[in-house]
Each structure stands twice: as structure tokens, then as C-alpha cells.
Amino acid sequence: KGYESSPDTFGWKAIPYAKPPIGELRWKAPLNPDPWTDVRQATEFCDRCPQYMRGLSIAGKEDCLYLNIWRPKSAETGLPVYFWIHGGGNSVWTASFPLFDGVKMARKSNMVIVTINYRLGPMGWFTHPALRHGKNAKDDSGNYGTLDIIKALEWVRDNIEAFGGDPGNITIA
């Protein structure tokens, strides 16, 4: 269940695209999220992924593999999709940063906007012999942040039609 993000747009925040990468799933390729049966409230951003802040403190939570969607308030379907991967050198920032709010772009461009969180820093790109078990090349890769982005893109491909988007017309930025 989303919300009216402006008089001209609808929004959905913190939709899980993968299981939380915690415990045994830390430093593993992302897995599909557990399904839910009740109406899921999608009106608040999730926490940012763990990252270093000024003074070397750490902010964020590992349960952060969520995406956000905005679309024009219309019945139009087959809209182009703009898939935004936030910057920050793979070590900082978050999809909830106010600059990345998709309200204006969805309205002005008549498209579906998707922003994502993905694992950052050593949680997203870390390899060590102790983490390699030889059972799954993706788990052993150390490229968890990249795999998160791919998993989010797969989720969009498989689900964006429900939000009026065209899974065959996705621009990655």
C-alpha cells in the first residue's frame, strides 16, 4: 500500500527486493525476499545500508535491501522505467537522500522512477579466503553490492508492470 506523494504522483517506499543480508546471509549473494500475504505498508523509507560517517562512526542497518517507486497519478500503463543507482563510491549515501526523491521526475517525465539501496563498503565488496566455500560462485565473489543491484533490477523486471511500468523499457542511471 503506497501513498499520494504529491497531488500528481503516487509513491511506494521500502519494498523488499531481497532477504535481509544478516546472519548466515551476510557476505552471500542476495536471495528473493520472503513473500507476504497481508497488505504491506510502503510509506516510509527503510534504514540506510551500513556506512562510515564523519568521525568514523557507522550509521545504518544491514536490513536495507529495499527499493522505492514513484509514478504519475494516472491510469496509464506501459510507462518507461528509470532505475536510479545512487552514487557515493560504493561506500556512502542512500536511496532516501532527498535529492533522489522521484516525485518531480515521475510527474514531469511521465515515467516510473525506482531508487534502490544496496550493500556498501566492506558489506558490499569484500572477499577473503575464509568466506569462500566453493559451493556458489556468486557467494564466493565478494561482489555483493553489485549482485544486490542486479537482484533489484530483476525484481523490477518481474514486478514493475503492477506499478504501470514497462519491463521492456528500463533505463539504468
Side-chain angles (χ1 to χ4, degrees):
K1 179 179 178 183
Y3 67 106
E4 185 177 306
S5 52
S6 80
D8 302 320
T9 58
F10 292 119
W12 296 265
K13 295 178 178 175
I15 300 172
Y17 67 84
K19 284 187 180 186
I22 56 178
E24 292 182 9
L25 299 180
R26 181 181 298 124
W27 292 306
K28 301 278 187 196
L31 299 174
N32 289 332
D34 292 329
W36 59 88
T37 56
D38 294 335
V39 174
R40 185 178 184 92
Q41 296 297 318
T43 58
E44 302 291 330
F45 287 116
C46 69
D47 286 312
R48 70 179 71 196
C49 291
Q51 55 195 269
Y52 290 110
M53 304 302 287
R54 291 184 182 152
L56 295 181
S57 64
I58 296 177
K61 294 188 177 175
E62 289 182 79
D63 182 3
C64 64
L65 300 184
Y66 297 85
L67 53 80
N68 313 296
I69 300 172
W70 292 270
R71 64 150 294 136
K73 191 188 290 184
S74 72
E76 192 172 353
T77 60
L79 295 171
V81 179
Y82 188 84
F83 184 90
W84 174 255
I85 304 167
H86 71 76
N90 294 332
S91 59
V92 294
W93 285 29
T94 179
S96 63
F97 191 72
L99 184 64
F100 308 146
D101 187 322
V103 171
K104 289 180 184 176
M105 186 179 287
R107 179 174 35 98
K108 289 183 176 184
S109 301
N110 197 40
M111 63 175 61
V112 177
I113 308 300
V114 179
T115 63
I116 65 165
N117 280 337
Y118 54 94
R119 286 177 276 186
L120 301 168
M123 303 308 275
W125 288 272
F126 179 69
T127 185
H128 188 275
L131 297 175
R132 293 185 214 121
H133 302 288
K135 297 176 185 174
N136 180 322
K138 290 181 181 179
D139 286 348
D140 291 350
S141 72
N143 290 311
Y144 314 111
T146 302
L147 293 169
D148 293 345
I149 293 167
I150 293 168
K151 179 60 94 177
L153 191 56
E154 290 170 348
W155 187 98
V156 169
R157 177 199 63 208
D158 296 342
N159 296 283
I160 205 63
E161 279 185 285
F163 300 88
D166 177 356
N169 187 3
I170 301 172
T171 297
I172 301 171

